[in-house]
Amino acid sequence: MDLRAMADGTVDAPSAGTDELLTPSQAGDYLCTGERFVRRLIAERRIDYVKLGKHVRVQRSVLDRFIQAGRVPHEPDRTSEDREHATGPIR
């Protein structure tokens, strides 16, 4: 992690920027899911998270990357002939 010492003795983490930290409940609201789903993603290490003492937080950018990773592009409309060629004859 790239940390820079500031003149006043504090440490600056440039990657943090203005990235908002959300509670699991807030993250669930952001994803339109429940808190339990977010906690499962954390427990399965499927998303990065931040521990602040005993508290768990998730950066909004982590959730945005999770959404982007799950994005499935649409396929253009295909004719029945295209579908038959791709999957075999239609019965």
Side-chain angles (χ1 to χ4, degrees), residues 10-83:
T10 61
V11 177
D12 180 37
S15 61
T18 59
D19 200 8
E20 186 177 3
L21 291 175
L22 304 174
T23 65
S25 179
Q26 292 170 324
D29 291 343
Y30 183 72
L31 294 175
C32 299
T33 66
E35 177 181 349
R36 183 175 177 188
F37 177 71
V38 174
R39 289 193 180 277
R40 192 177 86 221
L41 292 175
I42 291 168
E44 294 173 356
R45 303 294 197 265
R46 292 173 57 193
I47 61 172
D48 293 335
Y49 62 96
V50 177
K51 288 278 296 214
L52 300 171
K54 66 179 184 175
H55 303 285
V56 175
R57 299 292 182 262
V58 181
Q59 290 177 300
R60 188 180 300 268
S61 63
V62 169
L63 299 176
D64 291 336
R65 283 195 306 269
F66 178 76
I67 292 168
Q68 188 63 33
R71 188 174 303 273
V72 178
H74 79 286
E75 291 186 16
D77 290 337
R78 299 187 323 181
T79 65
S80 61
E81 185 177 309
D82 290 340
R83 281 190 290 271

